[in-house]
Amino acid sequence: QFFSSLLNFMFVVKVKEAILDDNVRAGWSASCYAWINGVSGILQFLLLPFLMKKIDPKRIWLFMPSLMLCFTLSQYIEKEPSLLLVASAFSCMKTMEYSLRGAVTEILYSSLDYE
């Protein structure tokens, strides 16, 4: 959750710095969210059902924060991270939040057999 909030903040700040016109910024942000939702839908309905059968959920729980840590560190390594880097990190985080985390969380809370 920490990386999610941090990347969201960095995304908003970087978009505001890079795109000064409010109308253009709103359109760009809407396009970004449209791509995030589209990729999330493809993952959730086409790829994840297949992958969840092949990959242990514990590995996915380790993969998600590790990937976000890498994206966040790459932004701090650069003195002035580009909008592309910040938007990529934000998009990856939101895509995982919308699709992957939801699928893995359902497995975590699935009812257990009493036997």
Side-chain angles (χ1 to χ4, degrees), residues 11-108:
F11 176 74
V12 169
V13 168
K14 187 51 94 172
V15 169
K16 198 168 194 172
E17 287 175 0
I19 305 172
L20 300 177
D21 184 24
D22 287 341
N23 291 329
V24 174
R25 185 172 51 240
W28 192 87
S29 296
S31 296
C32 188
Y33 273 102
W35 276 101
I36 290 169
N37 288 330
V39 171
S40 295
I42 290 170
L43 278 174
Q44 193 167 11
F45 296 113
L46 299 178
L47 295 176
L48 284 178
F50 173 74
L51 288 176
M52 294 306 290
K53 294 176 185 174
K54 303 286 183 189
I55 300 173
D56 185 26
K58 288 187 286 190
R59 297 211 185 275
I60 295 173
W61 276 112
L62 291 173
F63 168 75
M64 289 189 298
S66 301
L67 182 63
M68 296 308 2
L69 180 63
C70 291
F71 268 118
T72 306
L73 287 176
S74 68
Q75 292 178 38
Y76 282 111
I77 290 171
E78 288 191 32
K79 281 192 177 231
E80 190 63 35
S82 66
L83 178 60
L84 179 63
L85 178 62
V86 174
S88 298
F90 180 75
S91 298
C92 182
M93 180 268 305
K94 281 295 182 188
T95 300
M96 284 192 306
E97 192 174 290
Y98 292 161
S99 60
L100 189 60
R101 196 174 96 199
V104 176
T105 301
E106 285 192 23
I107 291 173
L108 183 69

